[in-house]
Each structure stands twice: as structure tokens, then as C-alpha cells.
Amino acid sequence: MNEKLAINGGKPIRETLLSYGKQCIDDEDIQSVIDVLKSDFLTTGPTVKAFEKAVAEYVGTKYAVAVSNGTAALHIACLAAGISEGDEVLVSPLTFAASSNCILYCGAIPVFVDIDYKTYNIDVNKIEAKITEKTKAIIPVDFAGQSVDMDKIREIADKYNLIIIEDAAHALGSKYKDKKVGKLADMTEFSFHPVKPITSGEGGMIVTDDEKFYEKLNLFRTHGITRDRDLMYDNHGSWYYEQIELGYNYRITDIQCALGLSQIKKLDKFIERRRNIVNTYNAAFENLECITVPFEADYSNSGWHIYVIKLNLEKLTCSRKQIFEALRAENIGVNVHYVPVYFHPYYKKLGYKKGLCPVSEDVYNSIITLPLYPSMTENDVNDVIMAVEKVIRYYSR
């Protein structure tokens, strides 16, 4: 029960570090990339379109626009929504900075809405109090892969004529009730960073059912340039094109999309494995009074991008930092998701102060992310469990 911790000179549970997240690449993925490298198109070619089509079909939307990364996807979604200087956009603070940085890129103002204490998603009961005549949109974040309560958010958005841009960077393959995440917001963003549900190395995508948003997304992805005769002001010949908006170079390559296209075929298998690991963790930790395991709402079927435990610090003799460092010493690559966005120095310079979202701050002070990815072996999973039990029991009151 009081086995000597590695941080105190004891033998660590593992000999090598187990990462908190990792890509799962096989020979089929590699061959897909090689095939594109041998083809005529390395960028803006047919594989980009094929990947967009595959993701749109998977989530059930009419349109998809692939871009260089998830942050770029959020940025062009804000641009397509018409968000501009002086507008306000509601967003959760317990997220990666990109969720609100995309608002700042447009000259608009992030308005942070506190989270629900169980799901760690935006608290739908606190949204309306933050809405003003300047509010233009809501960017709800599907924390850890669990869908936000989209019916309630849609009701509020319709009432106040707001646009919903769902940050589903964690949630490709997750469901809200009987529908895939991506189908219910006005625009939904996915990320293909290596630790996400599938990867294209780097990459992002916006899906939508709205044709006007789709046209704008395409423009903002590629410098604001079009060859569409219906959109151009003039026509000097078949070679001619026009820049009609101030866009960006947010293109993604066919090389990346080849990997993404191969990966999406495995997504359901990846999610099944993630859920199995989560079930194993939950069963192992349910009798540890010092830990609260992740909560999943009845309406959600999460793809479990990350597994976040909450430490019941009043039952421990140490801080979160000590638990974190002790687990790292056992070679368990724990992490913390996330530092509340407005804690960052840049946001402090903008006038944001601690105390703004008390639930988010309380949760942040007591959470730790454990390793979770599809290629983890049973030995890996057991190592995590043994390390957590070893450290928690050592520090239990």
C-alpha cells in the first residue's frame, strides 16, 4: 500500500515513458501517402476533394472544406459567419487557446461562459446571461469528445439569431443523441493533429449544410480568390481569376489528405478501442475515493479523445502538481487539459482576470489527463492503472 514512489527513489512502474496521446499509423496509411507522392498532384488535387467527401459523408453533411489545421478551420468559420471588429462571441474557457484566438483574429471579443461541473462543456444555463446586442455567435467546445447539449444551444441561438460554430476538434466520430457531431451546428470544425481521433499530420476541416457558408469557406481558404464566373466582376478569358475577399493561404496538401482518407476508414475501430480503454479505466478507478472519473451525459456518445480524471484534493495529502510529477516519475506521460484561456499572459493584457469562470478554475486546479490512444496495449493500460493506484494510495489521507 505504501510502495516507494519513483519520485522518491523507488522503481518506476514502466521503464520508458508512455505518451498521453499518439497517432496510429499502419502500412496502408503509409502506402496511401506514397501513392500520392507518385501521382501528378501534391496539393489542391483530387485527394483533397476525396477526403472532404469522405468526412462529409461520415458525419452526414452536404459540404466540407479541408484546411491546413484546426485553428485555420475555426478562423475561416468565423470569417464566413461575418464576425468582425466589435462583435462578441461566446466560448468556453476550458479549451485550447485556438477556440478563442479565432475570435480575436477577426477583431471580435471572446466572452467566456463557465462550464458545467460534470461534463466540462459550456454550461447552457449560463449562456443567456452573457448575451448582449453585440453577440454574434457561440463557439461551444466538445471537451474530450463529449458533445455539448446541442438542442439547448440551438434553442438559445435561434432565439437570439446567433450562429453556432462547434469546436469539435476532439469529437470526430462522437454522437449527440442519434446524430454524428457535425450535423447540428451551422458550422463544425474538426482537427487532424496526430493525437486527435484521426490524423493527417496537421490538418483541419469545416463541415456545413449551408451553401453560402460553404462558398465563403472556400474563398477564405485560398486568398479570397475565385474562378467562379458567377462570382467574378469581370471575365478576360478562361485563364482569368479574381480576388474578391481578403483570404488566406490555408490550403492542405494531397499528401496530408491521403493519410486522412486512409485514416477515416479506421475511425470507428479507433473509437471502439478508446471506449474499451475508458471502460477499463472506469472500472479500475471507481473504488478510489480520491478520484472522480469522467462523466458522460445521457445524450452523448463520446469518442473519448482524452481521459481526464478529477482529483478530490480534500482526500489527498498533496497538491495536483505533486500527483502529476509523481505519475511522470513512474513514466506515465500525464498531461493537463487545459489551462483556462484567460489565464494566459496575452489575455491578461487584454483585461481578462482570474475569477471570471469559477467552475472552470476549480476544475483546472484538480484535473489530470491520463494516456489514451487506440494502439495502447493491455500492458500499457495496466501500467497506467497500477501507477495511478500506487501514487493515489501513497498520498491518500
Side-chain angles (χ1 to χ4, degrees):
M1 295 292 289
N2 289 310
E3 182 181 354
K4 193 172 185 180
L5 300 184
I7 201 168
N8 296 330
K11 182 180 179 181
I13 291 292
R14 290 176 60 89
E15 293 183 358
T16 59
L17 183 68
L18 180 69
S19 173
Y20 91 89
K22 185 180 179 182
Q23 69 274 13
C24 300
I25 304 296
D26 62 18
D27 289 341
E28 183 183 12
D29 297 325
I30 294 169
Q31 187 60 51
S32 295
V33 173
I34 291 172
D35 290 343
V36 165
L37 287 171
K38 292 180 177 179
S39 74
D40 293 334
F41 293 92
L42 297 186
T43 191
T44 61
T47 311
V48 175
K49 291 294 184 185
F51 186 36
E52 290 172 337
K53 183 174 184 290
V55 173
E57 288 180 349
Y58 182 86
V59 301
T61 56
K62 292 180 181 178
Y63 309 107
V65 177
V67 291
S68 52
N69 54 63
T71 304
L74 286 169
H75 185 196
I76 64 170
C78 288
L79 293 170
I83 294 168
S84 59
E85 188 171 355
D87 290 335
E88 295 178 351
V89 180
L90 310 186
V91 65
S92 165
L94 198 70
T95 183
F96 187 61
S99 304
S100 60
N101 284 350
C102 62
I103 302 165
L104 295 176
Y105 296 158
C106 298
I109 302 166
V111 175
F112 294 104
V113 181
D114 212 348
I115 61 171
D116 177 85
Y117 202 74
K118 288 185 175 181
T119 64
Y120 305 160
N121 283 335
I122 194 168
D123 188 335
V124 294
N125 296 311
K126 296 176 180 176
I127 291 176
E128 286 196 81
K130 296 282 189 173
I131 295 173
T132 72
E133 61 182 14
K134 295 180 180 179
T135 308
K136 187 74 171 280
I138 306 173
I139 301 180
V141 179
D142 298 320
F143 184 88
Q146 177 163 209
S147 172
V148 293
D149 190 346
M150 188 56 74
D151 283 347
K152 290 186 178 179
I153 292 175
R154 172 55 66 191
E155 181 182 344
I156 294 168
D158 288 348
K159 179 179 178 181
Y160 293 95
N161 194 31
L162 305 178
I163 296 169
I164 304 172
I165 302 169
E166 188 171 4
D167 183 345
H170 295 185
L172 181 63
S174 298
K175 289 184 179 180
Y176 175 76
K177 297 184 177 178
D178 61 341
K179 294 183 178 179
K180 291 274 178 61
V181 166
K183 182 65 180 172
L184 298 168
D186 296 303
M187 289 177 276
T188 301
E189 171 263 347
F190 297 116
S191 170
F192 307 121
H193 180 274
V195 299
K196 296 303 196 303
I198 64 170
T199 187
S200 58
E202 285 280 5
M205 192 172 291
I206 290 286
V207 297
T208 184
D209 281 327
D210 189 298
E211 186 176 7
K212 291 183 178 179
F213 284 148
Y214 173 65
E215 291 174 352
K216 290 179 179 179
L217 291 165
N218 274 306
L219 276 174
F220 288 120
R221 170 178 62 177
T222 314
H223 302 282
I225 288 174
T226 185
R227 293 179 181 272
D228 187 332
R229 298 289 178 257
D230 293 332
L231 297 177
M232 293 195 308
Y233 292 83
D234 207 340
N235 183 6
H236 297 292
S238 58
W239 54 269
Y240 188 68
Y241 59 87
E242 290 182 341
Q243 181 186 335
I244 60 175
E245 295 282 358
L246 180 59
Y248 299 81
N249 182 0
Y250 282 163
R251 295 189 301 265
I252 190 171
T253 68
D254 283 58
I255 302 167
Q256 293 167 289
C257 288
L259 177 55
L261 191 57
S262 179
Q263 285 262 300
I264 198 169
K265 299 172 186 176
K266 307 174 181 70
L267 177 55
D268 289 341
K269 182 178 69 174
F270 288 166
I271 290 175
E272 181 181 5
R273 176 59 180 155
R274 286 178 179 273
R275 287 175 177 154
N276 288 338
I277 295 171
V278 168
N279 289 338
T280 301
Y281 280 164
N282 287 345
F285 301 145
E286 64 182 355
N287 294 321
L288 293 179
E289 293 183 356
C290 300
I291 288 177
T292 299
V293 299
F295 172 82
E296 187 172 20
D298 291 340
Y299 55 73
S300 176
N301 192 347
S302 177
W304 292 112
H305 163 55
I306 50 177
Y307 185 88
V308 178
I309 59 171
K310 185 176 184 296
L311 302 175
N312 301 321
L313 294 172
E314 71 280 2
K315 297 180 180 180
L316 294 167
T317 61
C318 65
S319 66
R320 187 264 305 274
K321 181 179 179 181
Q322 288 171 284
I323 297 288
F324 184 95
E325 298 297 345
L327 287 169
R328 278 289 179 101
E330 301 293 340
N331 277 323
I332 305 300
V334 290
N335 209 326
V336 173
H337 294 88
Y338 290 94
V339 177
V341 174
Y342 59 83
F343 276 24
H344 293 299
Y346 183 82
Y347 279 80
K348 289 181 180 179
K349 287 189 289 186
L350 295 177
Y352 295 94
K353 297 178 180 179
K354 290 185 178 181
L356 184 60
C357 295
V359 177
S360 298
E361 295 178 23
D362 180 63
V363 167
Y364 162 66
N365 287 328
S366 56
I367 54 175
I368 291 178
T369 302
L370 301 183
L372 175 61
Y373 52 93
S375 61
M376 286 178 68
T377 66
E378 292 306 316
N379 285 339
D380 292 335
V381 175
N382 289 334
D383 284 347
V384 174
I385 292 169
M386 286 190 294
V388 170
E389 290 176 340
K390 177 183 177 181
V391 170
I392 290 296
R393 284 173 177 160
Y394 182 87
Y395 287 113
S396 294
R397 290 187 183 279

